[in-house]
Amino acid sequence: MALTHSRLFRGTVAFSLTELRVQLHESTAVVTSLIVQVVLLLFVFILARDLLPVALFGAIVFSMFGLGQRVQNEAAFVRIDHKLNELYMAGPLAPEAYFLGMSLGVLGGYIAPVAVLVGVTLYVVGISATTALVLLFGTSLVWLFASSFGYIVSTLFRDMRTIWPYASIFYNLFGVLPPVFYPLGFWPASLTPVALVLPPSAATALVQSTIGWATLSPGEVALAVGSLLVEGIGVFLFAIYWARRTVREN
Amino acid sequence: MTTEALFARDVRKTYTSRRAPPVEALAGVSMVVHPGERVALLGRNGAGKTTFLKIASTLLRPSGGTVEIFGHDVGSRPDDVRPLIAVVPQEGKPFFHLTPREQVFTYLRARGYDGRSARARTEDALGQMGLQEVADRLSITLSGGQRQRTMVATVIATEAPVLFLDEPTIGMDPFARRAVWESLRTLTKRGSTILLTTHYLDEAEALSQRLYIIERGRVLVDGTAATLKQELGGTLRVSIRGGGRLEAQAKEFGSVLLDDGTLHVITTPERLAELIGLAVREHLTTTVGPVTLEEAFLRVVGRSIDVEE
């Protein structure tokens, strides 16, 4: 038997390529992944054209956040409907690799539409080097948080119907309601810390501050950066632990 | 430490829930599967077969007892056990948006096989399961039987030392079932060990070298299909419709069982004519056939395998 991987995270690349193939065969889902963002951008374009730069950056962050929901649905479907987690877990593929591979596969499948959004943003409003760096930092951590959170949530339910309402609640509570598609200044000032703690709006606030649509104090910048780091990395580490913990049912 | 492929001692499992009373799924199951053996777990729905398989394959925590795979304890050393096993889960389905070829190939890659080896094994497994014609169609477009064959192909391609198959031929047509049996026989000739659950009695009889009958979380019988049938005391089953009134007389010819108004008598060829004569004199319809595992199961469990728990 020609085993080629080390034990830690064994099989991550192979399983991410498996998941990538699965996603790419669902090209309709990939193409339609931008529908919500495009509709919201259209509304903004019609109602308040000057907010389009904010909304475009928000759409990029929102798209990366949306990948978490896709991980959640995919992991739940594979486990509940297909029972394929049993096939993979009762084998040498490391549980951590299963989670990480699935997250990376979904990212790979859906990154093209996000790249299109980045291209449109670059063309319409331009992206400075600073903004690009902040965007990369924020969206990476938003993706890490959302994918990890999505995977954890996927393990908590025994049927798909139960999971859908929660998915919708998280999606809207974290991604639509807070100031992601609109300026932080439109959000109640007393609730600014809340927006800076939620990963999507924290990332967006940092981006908005680089393009002049939000003014953040050093403390607020620290809060947004700290929240993104702590929540992104913290939830990711917990998901790594949880992936192994949940291989065996009680 | 044991060198047995599977060694289980007093395995217990009780499912607890805040909303329902505890359910004892396994009440002390012990078994041994030798390297290279094909062993079937037979039992009615809810007997505990899948629970045992899940515990043995590191997917479920037992409430008590131990299971070892080639000497590695599944409870404390699951990472040592997992490379040694492969599982066809009950009601498992391949990724709908992968083709059978992709499913098998990517699974082997995820298990650590290099590309060339994975490709060769994939083609071999697809061939064994008769999936070449649909190998490049997405699984979502395949029939239930074809999907099940894809699952079996995925697992047999691994040639893992121990294979667990939970109802592997469910939904398959008779030809496909025989193809699976043949592949599993070949695998054990090459050294793999197979533990499968089934409630197709003909499958257990045709495929397994040894079988365990499980009922309500307990092993009732450990033996071979042949010995179980021999214990019935005859090689022929005579079924006499409406023969209840002959029960006392029929006992002279062998073991009897009255089921839904029909009297089944297990007897020998030497006494067949005499028994049929008895039924004919009473103007009763009689059918004769060879004893099957079904009669043995009925005798051991007291109910047909198709009767739900």
Side-chain angles (χ1 to χ4, degrees):
Chain A
M1 189 161 90
L3 289 172
T4 57
H5 300 296
S6 66
R7 196 151 171 153
L8 188 67
F9 289 103
R10 178 171 45 196
T12 301
V13 173
F15 190 63
S16 67
L17 291 173
T18 304
E19 193 57 50
L20 180 61
R21 282 182 193 232
V22 172
Q23 299 303 329
L24 293 180
H25 277 306
E26 290 185 276
S27 51
T28 312
V30 174
V31 171
T32 56
S33 67
L34 285 182
I35 282 183
V36 171
Q37 295 89 314
V38 169
V39 168
L40 287 171
L41 286 171
L42 192 63
F43 286 171
V44 171
F45 183 75
I46 294 166
L47 298 171
R49 196 167 299 187
D50 58 327
L51 292 181
L52 196 60
V54 172
L56 276 167
F57 283 111
I60 296 169
V61 173
F62 182 83
S63 298
M64 294 301 281
F65 177 70
L67 295 182
Q69 193 184 33
R70 295 197 181 277
V71 170
Q72 177 181 301
N73 288 343
E74 178 70 4
F77 190 60
V78 166
R79 181 177 64 85
I80 297 167
D81 188 79
H82 284 39
K83 304 196 187 305
L84 270 177
N85 64 315
E86 295 181 19
L87 176 76
Y88 284 94
M89 293 297 94
L93 180 73
E96 298 84 356
Y98 179 78
F99 148 63
L100 193 56
M102 184 174 284
S103 301
L104 288 169
V106 171
L107 173 68
Y110 284 83
I111 201 66
V114 180
V116 169
L117 266 182
V118 172
V120 170
T121 308
L122 200 60
Y123 178 75
V124 175
V125 294
I127 303 176
S128 71
T130 310
T131 305
L133 282 175
V134 171
L135 188 65
L136 185 64
F137 169 80
T139 51
S140 301
L141 287 162
V142 164
W143 169 76
L144 200 60
F145 167 81
S147 299
S148 307
F149 189 75
Y151 184 80
I152 294 165
V153 171
S154 79
T155 63
L156 303 178
F157 298 91
R158 286 185 181 274
D159 73 280
M160 290 302 293
R161 283 181 186 277
T162 317
I163 215 166
W164 291 332
Y166 288 96
S168 177
I169 288 170
F170 294 137
Y171 194 59
N172 287 295
L173 207 62
F174 284 29
V176 177
L177 192 63
V180 173
F181 277 91
Y182 59 92
L184 181 64
F186 289 18
W187 175 259
S190 59
L191 295 177
T192 298
V194 175
L196 298 178
V197 163
L198 298 175
S201 46
T204 316
L206 291 172
V207 173
Q208 287 180 11
S209 73
T210 69
I211 58 170
W213 274 94
T215 306
L216 298 178
S217 68
E220 287 171 329
V221 170
L223 179 61
V225 170
S227 298
L228 278 168
L229 285 170
V230 169
E231 290 166 40
I233 296 170
V235 176
F236 172 70
L237 291 176
F238 182 74
I240 290 290
Y241 157 78
W242 192 247
R244 183 165 286 272
R245 172 80 179 73
T246 50
V247 169
R248 200 179 330 218
E249 293 173 47
N250 279 313
Chain B
M1 189 104 160
T2 169
T3 53
E4 298 294 0
L6 182 146
F7 178 79
R9 188 171 48 219
D10 196 28
V11 181
R12 296 169 179 277
K13 179 65 188 177
T14 303
Y15 291 102
T16 53
S17 159
R18 273 172 288 184
R19 294 178 198 157
V23 175
E24 189 178 46
L26 294 178
V29 168
S30 299
M31 70 173 68
V32 177
V33 181
H34 311 299
E37 255 194 322
R38 291 186 306 274
V39 173
L41 287 185
L42 268 179
R44 299 184 298 136
N45 278 339
K49 308 182 298 289
T50 296
T51 298
F52 181 81
L53 227 59
K54 280 192 160 189
I55 289 171
S57 57
T58 77
L59 296 172
L60 183 67
R61 215 175 294 277
S63 308
T66 55
V67 181
E68 291 179 10
I69 303 291
F70 284 112
H72 302 287
D73 185 84
V74 300
S76 60
R77 314 277 307 184
D79 282 348
D80 294 336
V81 170
R82 286 174 184 142
L84 302 175
I85 63 173
V87 174
V88 175
Q90 189 178 43
E91 295 175 1
K93 299 168 199 154
F95 277 111
F96 281 174
H97 289 89
L98 287 184
T99 67
R101 181 168 276 125
E102 289 173 328
Q103 172 68 59
V104 180
F105 177 76
T106 57
Y107 180 67
L108 293 174
R109 295 288 287 136
R111 282 185 75 103
Y113 287 94
D114 60 56
R116 185 192 289 186
S117 169
R119 209 163 286 118
R121 283 168 179 271
T122 298
E123 296 311 316
D124 184 37
L126 292 173
Q128 286 183 54
M129 288 298 104
L131 286 165
Q132 299 99 324
E133 282 184 20
V134 295
D136 293 315
R137 276 173 50 187
L138 290 182
S139 293
I140 197 165
T141 67
L142 303 181
S143 68
Q146 288 168 329
R147 288 178 192 164
Q148 185 64 15
R149 276 191 274 159
T150 303
M151 291 300 287
V152 175
T154 304
V155 166
I156 64 169
T158 67
E159 293 194 21
V162 180
L163 303 178
F164 296 106
L165 300 102
D166 201 349
E167 306 278 1
T169 61
I170 202 152
M172 288 187 193
D173 61 57
F175 295 108
R177 288 176 69 206
R178 275 166 179 76
V180 171
W181 298 354
E182 198 47 48
S183 295
L184 296 182
R185 287 190 193 109
T186 304
L187 273 176
T188 49
K189 280 180 198 153
R190 291 183 192 167
S192 290
T193 304
I194 290 169
L195 180 63
L196 68 118
T197 74
T198 181
H199 62 258
Y200 294 129
L201 292 161
D202 60 334
E203 179 162 290
E205 193 166 355
L207 189 56
S208 67
Q209 295 157 317
R210 212 151 52 77
L211 54 88
Y212 287 87
I213 294 181
I214 295 190
E215 171 71 0
R216 296 192 175 170
R218 287 182 173 81
V219 172
L220 298 186
V221 165
D222 161 17
T224 65
T227 55
L228 280 174
K229 288 193 294 186
Q230 276 167 16
E231 283 169 14
L232 290 170
T235 54
L236 295 174
R237 177 183 64 175
V238 179
S239 301
I240 306 169
R241 207 154 66 191
R245 62 179 183 274
L246 297 178
E247 190 173 358
Q249 291 167 271
K251 278 180 181 166
E252 294 171 22
F253 295 86
S255 55
V256 298
L257 181 82
L258 191 60
D259 180 30
D260 199 22
T262 299
L263 184 69
H264 302 284
V265 187
I266 308 299
T267 191
T268 57
E270 294 77 29
R271 306 214 56 193
L272 181 63
E274 202 181 338
L275 179 58
I276 289 178
L278 178 69
V280 168
R281 280 196 296 279
E282 296 290 327
H283 305 290
L284 296 172
T285 307
T286 305
T287 54
V288 181
V291 160
T292 65
L293 201 50
E294 194 175 346
E295 285 78 40
F297 188 91
L298 261 171
R299 188 183 69 85
V300 170
V301 178
R303 270 168 285 192
S304 161
I305 198 163
D306 297 321
V307 175
E308 298 267 338
E309 175 65 32

